[in-house]
Amino acid sequence: MKLFMPTKVYSEEGCVRKHAKEIAAYGKKAMIITGKHSAKVTGAYDDVVSALQQEAVSYIVFDEVEENPSVETVMKARKIGLDNNVDFVIGIGGGSPLDASKAIALMMTNPDKTEDVLYKNEVLPCMPIVCVPTTCGTGSEATQYSILTLHDQRTKRSISHTLFPELSLLDSRYLRTMSRECLVNTCVDALAHLVESYFNTNASELSRIYSREGLRIWSKFKDSLKNGNVSAEDYEDMIHASMIAGIAIAHTGTSVPHGMSYSITYERKIPHGKAVGMFLGGYVDFYKEKKDVKVVLDILGFDTASDLRQYIRGLLGVVEIEDELLVADAKGLLENPAKLKNYPYEISEQDLIEMAN
Ligand code: NAP
Ligand code: FE
């Protein structure tokens, strides 16, 4: 067994300003990396800027990260960062800006490399990465992964490098501005991470401790997520479940629902959590090791896998995907053994298709 999660995580109200000195220890000039609006709307951007100003750290801002960030965006940001001699990056937002900030940091630290290096197994240095999440799904603040869109391949793929943030600052107040849809999608992503990590070839007793604890926390807000009455305590639980789920997948990787989701997101612009969630209930239903299924269902408080499937359907609605795309998606997954290596059993094209919704 191996346990490795080198990111220092603080979770408390006001933690960005409280830990200004620790942020400032990473250098004299920061590059703040965000999407279009959410960093500012949540107040996270103001907190980061005021922490930097307090410590006399200068900064530049790159606010062009799109949902499901592309290699092109990473390369554009790298040029701006290199022109400005930044020492470290601060990603603020959902998984998209956080993942982008990891890849941007890597490419800035290695200015002589071309974008091909993102998908090469080459050990490279990387400048410090600070993450401030504003969604509660990806766990990117506690993982080594950065998933980028490859337009030439019409899909998304995790880059080949291990890029844990140095520091992640979790303030659950930033979650409060999320739309119901975004909240539901990202909570379902975290749930998928917990389950896919538990049902995983790489799972160990240590990784499963994180999965079980994340599921226990997730079960606490299961009803409020459904009825929309989300309290401050629920938001706190959501950000913790998501971060803990990140630690779980950092050790195991994800599995079939994530593998099936990427081309659905690319081809139909379905948000990440929703695309993953449309396979999650069916994946639990199909999973052969019923002892493991029972552990997950018991912690979450569902009697049967179909109850869980029904619950997820109720949250996300049925995602209509035409058969041709589902078949192509399933074939793509089955033709790529690397993508299925985390799934411990044989699986057929028909099984994969029937997992949908
Ligand atoms: P996202 O793509 O980062 O953000 C989705 C939308 O929500 C954006 O429009 C964003 O606005 C908005 N938003 C974010 N926080 C908000 C807030 N607090 N209030 C209001 N609006 C807010 O969504 P995500 O689901 O968190 O991230 C998905 C990405 O993470 C995918 O690329 C996925 O592949 C990746 N991912 C990574 C890992 C990992 O381990 N690294 C794991 C799973 C998924 P702005 O555009 O204005 O910011
Ligand atoms: Fe995910």
Side-chain angles (χ1 to χ4, degrees), residues 37-272:
H37 309 289
S38 69
K40 291 199 171 125
V41 172
T42 55
Y45 175 83
D46 283 348
D47 287 345
V48 166
V49 165
S50 109
L52 295 176
Q53 284 170 345
Q54 180 196 309
E55 298 301 319
V57 175
S58 61
Y59 61 91
I60 59 164
V61 181
F62 179 78
D63 64 1
E64 296 174 40
V65 180
E66 72 276 40
E67 288 184 40
N68 306 297
S70 61
V71 172
E72 288 78 2
T73 301
V74 168
M75 297 310 284
K76 180 177 182 188
R78 163 172 76 178
K79 181 168 185 331
I80 297 169
L82 287 177
D83 290 345
N84 286 278
N85 279 318
V86 302
D87 301 316
F88 68 108
V89 301
I90 306 176
I92 311 175
S96 298
L98 302 192
D99 280 11
S101 64
K102 294 175 181 177
I104 294 165
L106 179 82
M107 294 311 295
M108 288 195 297
T109 318
N110 299 280
D112 54 322
K113 302 283 183 188
T114 59
E115 64 187 56
D116 308 349
V117 84
L118 288 167
Y119 290 95
K120 279 195 184 138
N121 288 324
E122 198 177 326
V123 179
L124 294 173
C126 185
M127 63 175 63
I129 300 157
V130 177
C131 287
V132 182
T134 65
T135 64
C136 45
T138 72
S140 183
E141 66 276 10
T143 74
Q144 69 277 46
Y145 308 124
S146 165
I147 293 120
L148 300 180
T149 295
L150 297 160
H151 287 298
D152 55 343
Q153 296 180 24
R154 302 187 69 82
T155 191
K156 299 161 54 173
R157 262 176 70 202
S158 184
I159 66 171
S160 310
H161 302 267
T162 292
L163 300 172
F164 282 103
E166 252 64 26
L167 176 67
S168 288
L169 298 156
L170 279 53
D171 187 332
S172 63
R173 292 175 308 171
Y174 302 149
L175 305 183
R176 294 181 193 171
T177 49
M178 255 188 286
S179 64
R180 171 161 175 78
E181 202 194 342
C182 189
L183 182 71
V184 162
N185 291 345
T186 62
C187 284
V188 168
D189 187 23
L191 178 61
H193 294 161
L194 293 164
V195 177
E196 289 176 51
S197 179
Y198 201 83
F199 298 170
N200 199 296
T201 318
N202 305 316
S204 71
E205 263 320 300
L206 281 173
S207 71
R208 285 183 156 191
I209 289 172
Y210 288 94
S211 291
R212 283 193 298 264
E213 178 58 7
L215 289 165
R216 187 191 67 79
I217 299 173
W218 212 99
S219 74
K220 288 172 67 190
F221 58 77
K222 163 179 127 212
D223 294 333
S224 12
L225 184 64
K226 189 173 175 195
N227 63 34
N229 267 330
V230 182
S231 67
E233 192 185 330
D234 291 327
Y235 281 122
E236 186 116 333
D237 285 336
M238 288 168 177
I239 209 164
H240 290 157
S242 170
M243 183 264 294
I244 290 169
I247 301 178
I249 55 165
H251 290 87
T252 59
T254 53
S255 185
V256 166
H258 272 72
M260 287 294 284
S261 77
Y262 293 137
S263 62
I264 303 279
T265 291
Y266 190 88
E267 299 296 346
R268 292 293 167 267
K269 306 284 165 268
I270 310 263
H272 174 68

